[in-house]
Amino acid sequence: MSFFSIEQAPARLNRSELAVPGSQPQMFEKAARSDVDVIFLDLEDAVAPDEKEQARKNIIQALNEIDWGNKTMSIRINGLDTHYMYRDVVDIVEQAGQHLDLIMIPKVGTAADVYAIDMLVTQIEDARGYRKRIGFEHIIETALGMQNVNEIAAASKRNESLHFGVADYAASTRARTTIIGGVNPDYSVLTDPLADSSREVHWGDMWHYALARMVVAARANGLRPIDGPFGDFQDADGYRAAAKRAAVLGCEGKWAIHPSQIALANEVMSPSDAEIIKARRILEAMTEAEANGKGAVSLDGRLIDYASIRQAEVMFEKAQQISGI
Ligand code: GLV
Ligand code: MG
């Protein structure tokens, strides 16, 4: 291990994160009763310009009046390049800040963007005498944001998570994409001719590099990496596949842009019973190995060592968080 120690963001369950437009208050109660871990009430891209002001009012009322249970509550403010942003922060944090856990900052481009919002939120919290500090979630969804992802991840003590905003990322990088968060058959390779001289097309994941880069920046700074939207909410298999490949890379959650995606995200992002049993066996085998003065031991024909213990411990921590819901 490095001598440098990584401070971990507060441990929150973030398997699923539901987007709810602030301009659609009729959706709020249903969201509050759902099984989602985190809800972000949106002021940005799901809200038309002439509805922004009313959406802000709806959100203030909803944060103050609705019983959201044990859900983590967030708001997605407008971008720093708009004049809506300062009022989003000032009005909502002043009038409902004690019910807000997180602020989601879209299209963040530089560490200075984070600093600016941190300054604003700090002043409001201090003026209001709030004890609880509001955390930040950042959507990495522009070429600039990806270029500066490490600095953004390290820019504030409030930072909790990085989210891959695949739709805007595609627009910003001018990627050729069809479905939000889906794949493109043109991102593929042809095999060499097989025995019968045919050739197979192997599709690739065009988002792999971006997602992997964001995961590393998040983990190196103790933050949660979260995968963003999957647009086709009729395609449960497509969603599951996208969530699984994000989980395999280290993401611990995925957005739901429709309530039907919540259960899928929770399912994929929770450790399975088999994984928990395996983790328990690894921990038991290592305890026994240590008692016999060994640093590594074999289990089911495979070597396990201290790295296996750390993985098993992470799995256990997650299982405990889930059972404590
Ligand atoms: C999310 O905001 C996205 O652009 O994908
Ligand atoms: Mg976006």
Side-chain angles (χ1 to χ4, degrees):
M1 266 321 174
S2 167
F3 181 61
F4 185 87
S5 72
I6 299 172
E7 205 176 310
Q8 297 296 319
R12 291 183 201 276
L13 212 48
N14 203 164
R15 296 166 301 170
S16 50
E17 180 145 349
L18 181 67
V20 182
S23 50
Q24 308 279 327
Q26 73 282 7
M27 293 182 172
F28 293 175
E29 286 285 353
K30 191 177 171 201
R33 288 193 306 274
S34 73
D35 286 331
V36 80
D37 291 336
V38 183
I39 295 175
F40 76 80
L41 301 173
D42 194 14
L43 290 152
E44 201 219 11
D45 281 354
V47 178
D50 57 357
E51 293 187 320
K52 300 270 187 205
E53 211 163 306
Q54 185 57 44
R56 223 178 265 143
K57 290 183 184 150
N58 297 341
I59 289 175
I60 291 167
Q61 188 178 3
L63 286 171
N64 286 324
E65 293 178 10
I66 291 179
D67 176 5
W68 297 97
N70 55 7
K71 293 180 176 37
T72 294
M73 295 306 298
S74 182
I75 52 165
R76 178 164 75 169
I77 58 175
N78 285 283
L80 280 88
D81 57 331
T82 73
H83 64 81
Y84 303 113
M85 186 282 287
Y86 83 100
R87 280 241 155 265
D88 293 343
V89 176
V90 173
D91 287 4
I92 297 178
V93 178
E94 274 192 352
Q95 295 174 49
Q98 62 281 48
H99 301 296
L100 191 62
D101 301 300
L102 302 169
I103 292 177
M104 175 179 269
I105 303 171
K107 301 180 184 69
V108 59
T110 68
D113 289 345
V114 183
Y115 187 89
I117 312 254
D118 196 349
M119 182 271 291
L120 201 52
V121 172
T122 301
Q123 291 202 7
I124 302 167
E125 283 178 343
D126 288 352
R128 291 274 147 166
Y130 295 151
R131 289 269 178 82
K132 189 177 64 153
R133 294 278 147 186
I134 295 169
F136 288 167
E137 334 182 75
H138 300 291
I139 318 184
I140 304 301
E141 54 181 344
T142 61
L144 185 64
M146 191 59 83
Q147 182 69 19
N148 294 318
V149 66
N150 294 328
E151 290 77 11
I152 290 167
S156 169
K157 292 251 180 244
R158 295 179 186 274
N159 286 355
E160 288 203 12
S161 54
L162 299 182
H163 300 240
F164 181 49
V166 65
D168 274 306
Y169 187 75
S172 171
T173 55
R174 303 188 196 182
R176 293 186 180 177
T177 176
T178 42
I179 309 162
I180 293 176
V183 284
N184 183 335
D186 285 344
Y187 194 79
S188 54
V189 289
L190 264 191
T191 62
D192 284 347
L194 305 174
D196 64 358
S197 4
S198 67
R199 302 179 76 180
E200 287 176 354
V201 180
H202 287 194
W203 292 31
D205 176 7
M206 65 187 286
W207 310 117
H208 174 81
Y209 166 74
L211 200 54
R213 182 168 173 181
M214 189 198 77
V215 168
V216 173
R219 293 299 185 196
N221 288 279
L223 312 182
R224 299 183 293 277
I226 307 293
D227 191 24
F230 185 81
D232 185 354
F233 53 80
Q234 318 260 26
D235 181 7
D237 288 342
Y239 183 95
R240 227 185 245 110
K244 276 189 186 168
R245 73 48 156 127
V248 163
L249 283 182
C251 285
E252 55 184 87
K254 182 162 176 65
W255 286 19
I257 55 155
H258 187 272
S260 64
Q261 295 179 332
I262 296 171
L264 300 173
N266 287 348
E267 171 199 315
V268 174
M269 297 295 171
S270 303
S272 66
D273 289 349
E275 284 173 315
I276 295 170
I277 290 168
K278 185 161 174 219
R280 183 175 304 130
R281 290 184 62 223
I282 289 175
L283 292 179
E284 282 165 5
M286 281 309 287
T287 311
E288 201 181 311
E290 268 180 344
N292 295 330
K294 292 186 195 159
V297 71
S298 90
L299 181 72
D300 303 334
R302 303 223 170 142
L303 178 81
I304 53 169
D305 57 8
Y306 284 107
S308 321
I309 297 197
R310 284 190 290 276
Q311 286 174 7
E313 282 170 348
V314 167
M315 189 73 77
F316 249 71
E317 234 171 74
K318 179 55 99 41
Q320 271 166 347
Q321 270 184 328
I322 294 167
S323 60
I325 293 176

